[in-house]
Amino acid sequence: MANQTSKNIRLGAMVIAGTALLIIALYVIGDKQNLFGSTFRISAYFQNVNGLMVGHNVRFDGIDVGTVKNIEIINDTTVKVDMAIELESQKFIHKNALASIGTDGLMGNKLVNITPTGVPSPQVEEGDILKTSEPLEADDALRTLTQTNADIAVIVSNLRTFTDQMSSPNSVWSVLTDTAASENIKAILVNIKQTSSYTALVAAELNAIVSDVQSGKGTLGALITDSTIATELNQTAANIQLISDSLVYFTADLQSISDRLLSGEGTLSTLLNDTTLAVNLTETIQSARNGASDFEESMKALQDNFLVRHYFKKKNKMLEKERKHID
Amino acid sequence: MLPAGLVRFLTEIAEVTRFTTKFFREILRPRFEFAEFLRQCFFIGYKSLGLVAITAFIMGLVITIQSRPTLVEFGAEAWLPKMVSVSLVREIAPVITALICAGKIGSGIGAELGSMKVTEQIDAMEVSGTNPYKYLVVTRVMATILMIPILAVLADAVSLYGAYLGSNIRGVVSWDLYWNQVFATLTYSDIMPSILKTFFFGFAIGIIGCYQGFNSKKGTEGVGRSANAAVVISSLLVFIIDLIAVQITDLAGLT
Amino acid sequence: MNRKKNHTTYAPAADAEIAIQISNLDVSFGDNHVLRHFSFELPAGKSYAVLGKSGSGKSVLIKCIIGLIKPNAGTIQIFGTNITDLNSVELDKMRMETGFLFQSNALYDSMTVRENLEFPLRRHGIQKTAAEVDELVREALVNVGLPGTDNMMPAELSGGMKKRIALARTLILKPKIILYDEPTTGLDPITGREIGHLMVDIQKKYHTSSLVISHDLNCIHIAADRIVMLIDGTCYAIGTYDELKKSTDLKIKSFFD
């Protein structure tokens, strides 16, 4: 009988160990999916959820804080996404945080990113609806870059006409030939040409990557969801966007100058005496230079890791742009 | 007229079916042989633990080592724990457990009941006021049904540990990161179907072993043949059940 | 006939003159008719033997009596109760009073001698205190001449010892009838004779009726009062050893040559 008891004890220990392991595993998995523990619900309305599904993760500042609980079509342009968020994260998420749909790695799962805006606001509460920013697809990024490129091409041709006129010996413009201004304008041209060729390069490379991904070829290395690389790529992509934007900005300045010169509205005297214009021109040249060097840096970064990640936040970009304006 | 081989085969199928339905009838009748059931659980579960653990450990280790080069080639080495854990939990650990048990337990039951049959111990039980089907078959089949899932869970754990060591032979994956990745990858739809199917594996192993033993022909040769047939048929059934289980989980959208 | 009465309970008549009465028993497996219209009676307190060739249906007959094989037709009455229609619960009651010694002993390999002996006691749901069980086990072992073997495993026992332990297991329920299925098969002649004498002793001690199935004339000569000749599935002849030995019938004669 004692023998039987010891057998039963060993059997019992085994059964308990097996059952306990199963329960622990189920609990840990459930915990990862926020099935247990206290959560609260918030929602966001998207125009397009890009294949997001129930169960996908919700990230705040890059940390998994919850899961998507429900996706519901409200009308032809609105999809409501309900998210269960860990209660512990509630105090960090503010009412003005932005929700966007992103991807975990190039080919990974979809997820909802919640990004803080940095602007003070009360913390979120149960049932709150977050503002959203639509995900920027790789195609969109390309479109912007190509547009910028086209703009630059127009300006470059304008500027060329402008400098041709200036360098003509018979023209009054020859006065300006040896001046610093003329040098500067030439420098702009060089920079802008360079910039535009870089932009074209980026566009081509992005294009190649996107088509690779779309054809399912995609370098397997890109499957690694390494957050460091992801961040770097994000940064690079943001930079390109930023530069494109500033290019558009100073392109517009140059456009107005050259427009005025070409339309004959601005005479020589006007050109020489109008200090505002001179200041503007100098500034423009300066920012064009900055832009060009920034761009070069970004290109280097891009070439270092050319797995361009295309999701980045519009809001971030806008903030950056604003800061640029203020600077 | 049907060929003799087909007639024999169909008769055999009918006999197995009758034997199996008898299990469900008998299990519902009162007087469950609990002491014998515990004894069988000990032999079937506890006594197979070592063998199952060693096999599962080696499988975890080997699968990891074998998968590494391909993943490295694609630069996806970091995916090793994810990939290995899914294949171990979904398929390898439960099937390996079932096959080991089909070999060890299936032949054990087949030989034990076979020799009891030929030495009239089964008849002796019947004249001693014991329903031999209840006492011998129901207890053993219940024991395999309940023990194999537990062995499979333990095999999951041990094989994942083996995979952890395997990941660290050439690479470095910390203990915490490894388990984090494993549990982030696994979902209920990985674990539940794989545990569920082991109950059926257990049932198949138990019922086939008992059937072969109960229908053993006279003589020591008959006992040997019963044990052998129990192993062969239950191993084959494990694979067939596995195939069906995969189809069902696939249809249910749990893949 | 009695068959129409369809007994559903086992109610043995306490003062029945006849222990086993078999009438028109038919058993067949497919086309193989093993027993045809087999009839005979075993008076209470007597010991009969059934003699027949291998495959003549001796074992089938004895397994019909204990209810392991259902006959196709005919009745088997034990102390006046037809057992062919009993359900399993009622059969168990009958089996408590009818011991069966298996040809291959059928000792449970995984149990000790003591556990083997206790098995029928426990399984028949007989309520006994530990001391009573101890006493019954001891008594049964003493009566078969093997006291003190309680903790041995069947594998450690010789053929003759196994037979004795198997007999002790049958005796522990103190049966009114004992059925012996080839009790001396596989034993040497000396041990076989010992078993034969043991059977006689047991019958005296326990006042049982017994039926021996065998083709071992030595054993039958020692243990049986009368011999039933089972030939061609029927009860060919009944008589004492001496009577049958003098018979001129060729079929009977062949057994005694």
Side-chain angles (χ1 to χ4, degrees):
Chain A
M1 275 299 111
N3 186 26
Q4 191 59 42
T5 311
S6 109
K7 282 178 180 174
N8 283 348
I9 289 169
R10 279 181 280 170
L11 176 65
M14 182 192 125
V15 170
I16 288 169
T19 325
L21 274 174
L22 181 63
I23 291 170
I24 290 168
L26 292 179
Y27 178 79
V28 171
I29 291 167
D31 195 39
K32 293 243 175 208
Q33 294 176 352
N34 292 304
L35 293 181
F36 318 116
S38 324
T39 57
F40 66 103
R41 292 228 176 186
I42 51 176
S43 312
Y45 292 103
F46 292 93
Q47 204 173 4
N48 179 349
V49 293
N50 287 300
L52 185 79
M53 284 190 292
V54 170
H56 276 149
N57 285 334
V58 177
R59 281 189 186 163
F60 175 70
D61 284 352
I63 299 165
D64 288 332
V65 293
T67 47
V68 173
K69 282 288 163 192
N70 187 32
I71 298 176
E72 189 185 348
I73 302 178
I74 302 293
N75 60 43
D76 60 347
T77 55
T78 318
V79 181
K80 187 184 181 207
V81 175
D82 293 331
M83 297 164 273
I85 309 287
E86 288 169 12
L87 217 51
E88 296 155 27
S89 316
Q90 187 172 20
K91 55 181 171 290
F92 302 110
I93 305 175
H94 298 281
K95 276 184 188 291
N96 62 355
L98 286 169
S100 63
I101 290 172
T103 315
D104 188 7
L106 253 193
M107 296 181 71
N109 287 327
K110 291 282 168 191
L111 45 81
V112 177
N113 276 310
I114 298 178
T115 322
T117 52
V119 179
S121 172
Q123 69 178 45
V124 282
E125 282 159 24
E126 171 83 30
D128 274 356
I129 292 169
L130 294 185
K131 288 203 189 76
T132 54
S133 58
E134 287 302 320
L136 197 64
E137 291 291 327
D139 292 339
D140 294 339
L142 280 182
R143 223 172 290 131
T144 320
L145 278 175
T146 321
Q147 185 56 46
T148 317
N149 208 10
D151 288 348
I152 291 168
V154 172
I155 293 150
V156 167
S157 81
N158 278 353
L159 277 173
R160 184 168 292 138
T161 330
F162 173 53
T163 39
D164 280 351
Q165 283 174 342
M166 288 198 295
S167 53
S168 154
N170 298 332
S171 166
V172 279
W173 297 107
S174 58
V175 182
L176 292 167
T177 311
D178 292 319
T179 63
S182 156
E183 285 299 319
N184 280 342
I185 289 170
K186 272 181 192 164
I188 301 171
L189 275 176
V190 172
N191 282 345
I192 289 177
K193 265 183 193 164
Q194 220 173 0
T195 309
S196 86
S197 73
Y198 274 142
T199 318
L201 204 72
V202 176
E205 263 169 346
L206 265 174
N207 232 340
I209 290 162
V210 168
S211 72
D212 267 2
V213 171
Q214 277 163 348
S215 68
K217 225 160 67 187
T219 322
L220 246 183
L223 296 176
I224 311 169
T225 50
D226 186 321
S227 56
T228 324
I229 296 175
T231 321
E232 260 175 52
L233 288 178
N234 249 347
Q235 198 63 49
T236 315
N239 282 348
I240 292 177
Q241 189 66 26
L242 201 65
I243 291 149
S244 299
D245 290 341
S246 56
L247 272 177
V248 172
Y249 177 62
F250 74 74
T251 302
D253 273 0
L254 278 174
Q255 186 107 41
S256 79
I257 296 165
S258 58
D259 280 351
R260 281 157 75 182
L261 288 172
L262 289 176
S263 69
E265 182 204 324
T267 57
L268 174 65
S269 60
T270 324
L271 182 69
L272 292 175
N273 295 334
D274 191 339
T275 47
T276 327
L277 179 66
V279 171
N280 275 353
L281 196 59
T282 322
E283 259 180 21
T284 310
I285 289 161
Q286 194 56 45
S287 62
R289 268 186 182 159
N290 287 347
S293 72
D294 275 353
F295 205 90
E296 237 170 308
E297 261 174 47
S298 302
M299 274 313 298
K300 273 183 196 138
L302 246 191
Q303 273 156 355
D304 283 345
N305 45 50
F306 55 89
L307 301 164
V308 178
R309 293 278 302 267
H310 58 259
Y311 64 93
F312 49 92
K313 289 105 209 153
K314 221 171 211 168
K315 187 65 187 177
N316 262 354
K317 181 190 72 193
M318 303 253 289
L319 279 173
E320 290 284 342
K321 202 155 81 184
E322 271 167 24
R323 212 168 59 217
K324 196 84 186 173
H325 274 294
I326 294 158
D327 291 345
Chain B
M1 198 58 204
L2 292 166
L6 184 64
V7 171
R8 220 177 308 130
F9 177 73
L10 292 177
T11 317
E12 189 81 3
I13 295 287
E15 289 293 321
V16 173
T17 312
R18 202 165 297 140
F19 192 80
T20 310
T21 49
K22 193 174 179 188
F23 172 78
F24 293 107
R25 265 205 321 277
E26 293 288 349
I27 199 167
L28 294 175
R29 295 220 186 120
R31 186 152 187 195
F32 184 69
E33 308 284 354
F34 196 71
E36 177 67 6
F37 166 72
L38 279 187
R39 218 171 66 86
Q40 289 307 321
C41 282
F42 180 78
F43 281 116
I44 288 166
Y46 187 81
K47 290 282 184 185
S48 311
L49 185 57
L51 194 58
V52 166
I54 290 170
T55 327
F57 177 78
I58 292 172
M59 283 313 286
L61 194 68
V62 165
I63 291 285
T64 313
I65 295 169
Q66 297 278 46
S67 308
R68 165 172 241 106
T70 320
L71 288 178
V72 167
E73 200 174 314
F74 289 105
E77 207 180 331
W79 270 42
L80 198 55
K82 294 183 176 206
M83 207 195 87
V84 168
S85 63
V86 168
S87 40
L88 285 177
V89 168
R90 286 185 84 120
E91 198 55 46
I92 292 164
V95 171
I96 281 293
T97 307
L99 285 181
I100 291 287
C101 291
K104 186 179 181 296
I105 298 168
S107 65
I109 293 177
E112 189 191 4
L113 295 196
S115 62
M116 288 185 81
K117 169 79 179 176
V118 301
T119 60
E120 300 177 296
Q121 292 177 47
I122 291 177
D123 286 341
M125 279 191 176
E126 190 156 1
V127 301
S128 298
T130 303
N131 179 341
Y133 195 98
K134 262 184 173 315
Y135 189 82
L136 299 172
V137 178
V138 172
T139 52
R140 279 168 176 75
V141 175
M142 278 312 288
T144 52
I145 289 176
L146 294 177
M147 285 300 112
I148 286 175
I150 286 173
L151 287 172
V153 171
L154 294 170
D156 280 341
V158 174
S159 65
L160 285 174
Y161 179 70
Y164 165 73
L165 294 186
S167 323
N168 278 291
I169 290 179
R170 285 181 184 275
V172 178
V173 184
S174 77
W175 176 258
D176 287 354
L177 176 64
Y178 176 79
W179 290 107
N180 237 328
Q181 275 188 308
V182 166
F183 283 118
T185 311
L186 294 177
T187 61
Y188 285 165
S189 60
D190 292 320
I191 292 189
M192 288 309 191
S194 91
I195 296 297
L196 204 63
K197 72 185 173 190
T198 56
F199 285 94
F200 291 93
F201 291 162
F203 179 70
I205 292 166
I207 207 91
I208 293 297
C210 288
Y211 172 78
Q212 291 296 337
F214 248 58
N215 290 281
S216 189
K217 299 284 177 296
K218 279 261 177 192
T220 39
E221 196 198 339
V223 175
R225 202 170 293 162
S226 291
N228 183 262
V231 175
V232 172
I233 297 173
S234 54
S235 307
L236 187 64
L237 270 182
V238 163
F239 283 112
I240 292 173
I241 292 170
D242 194 40
L243 179 69
I244 295 169
V246 167
Q247 300 287 337
I248 291 172
T249 36
D250 193 41
L251 284 178
L254 293 173
T255 43
Chain C
M1 286 277 293
N2 280 342
R3 182 155 174 72
K4 290 192 181 111
K5 273 171 86 178
N6 236 356
H7 286 278
T8 50
T9 54
Y10 175 68
D15 53 351
E17 297 275 303
I18 304 211
I20 302 174
Q21 182 177 31
I22 296 176
S23 327
N24 292 321
L25 198 67
D26 274 0
V27 179
S28 59
F29 299 104
D31 294 333
N32 180 18
H33 295 276
V34 182
L35 296 176
R36 310 163 199 236
H37 302 295
F38 184 89
S39 304
F40 102 106
E41 289 177 359
L42 171 65
K46 294 286 178 189
S47 175
Y48 278 26
V50 177
L51 185 61
K53 284 186 279 192
S54 295
S56 60
K58 299 186 307 270
S59 284
V60 172
L61 172 67
I62 205 169
K63 282 181 179 170
C64 282
I65 297 172
I66 199 72
L68 286 172
I69 296 175
K70 288 263 174 234
N72 300 54
T75 58
I76 300 166
Q77 290 181 56
I78 293 181
F79 294 119
T81 303
N82 182 13
I83 57 110
T84 54
D85 294 320
L86 296 181
N87 64 22
S88 63
V89 176
E90 299 301 321
L91 263 182
D92 281 345
K93 285 187 194 162
M94 182 275 282
R95 285 164 178 167
M96 283 170 72
E97 296 187 341
T98 311
F100 193 108
L101 184 66
F102 285 91
Q103 183 180 349
S104 50
N105 305 325
L107 293 176
Y108 307 120
D109 301 323
S110 56
M111 300 178 195
T112 62
V113 166
R114 187 191 175 81
E115 285 167 340
N116 263 290
L117 261 58
E118 285 174 350
F119 191 84
L121 276 180
R122 280 192 284 116
R123 304 306 302 186
H124 278 300
I126 296 165
Q127 299 298 320
K128 295 263 190 237
T129 64
E132 282 170 332
V133 171
D134 279 349
E135 179 52 30
L136 281 171
V137 169
R138 199 195 57 79
E139 186 191 340
L141 286 176
V142 167
N143 283 336
V144 298
L146 287 172
T149 50
D150 299 46
N151 292 320
M152 291 175 83
M153 296 302 282
E156 300 171 79
L157 303 170
S158 71
M161 287 165 89
K162 279 183 190 163
K163 191 61 82 184
R164 285 161 187 264
I165 298 295
L167 185 56
R169 188 175 67 185
T170 317
L171 291 175
I172 201 153
L173 291 172
K174 301 201 192 301
K176 291 179 180 159
I177 300 172
I178 300 180
L179 306 170
Y180 297 91
D181 187 3
E182 313 243 3
T184 55
T185 303
L187 299 176
D188 60 274
I190 298 164
T191 316
R193 213 169 299 139
E194 281 173 22
I195 296 294
H197 288 297
L198 180 63
M199 285 157 69
V200 176
D201 290 349
I202 294 298
Q203 179 155 22
K204 282 179 191 151
K205 255 181 227 167
Y206 286 81
H207 309 291
T208 59
S209 318
S210 58
L211 186 64
V212 187
I213 299 293
S214 186
H215 49 246
D216 178 2
L217 285 170
N218 278 329
C219 170
I220 288 176
H221 187 47
I222 295 164
D225 302 329
R226 289 170 88 88
I227 299 172
V228 177
M229 299 299 298
L230 175 59
I231 296 173
D232 298 331
T234 58
C235 179
Y236 193 80
I238 300 181
T240 62
Y241 182 83
D242 295 328
E243 283 166 18
L244 290 170
K245 197 168 182 182
K246 287 178 205 147
S247 169
T248 51
D249 189 300
L250 285 175
K251 284 184 178 171
I252 296 172
K253 224 170 153 27
S254 65
F255 282 95
F256 292 89
D257 290 338

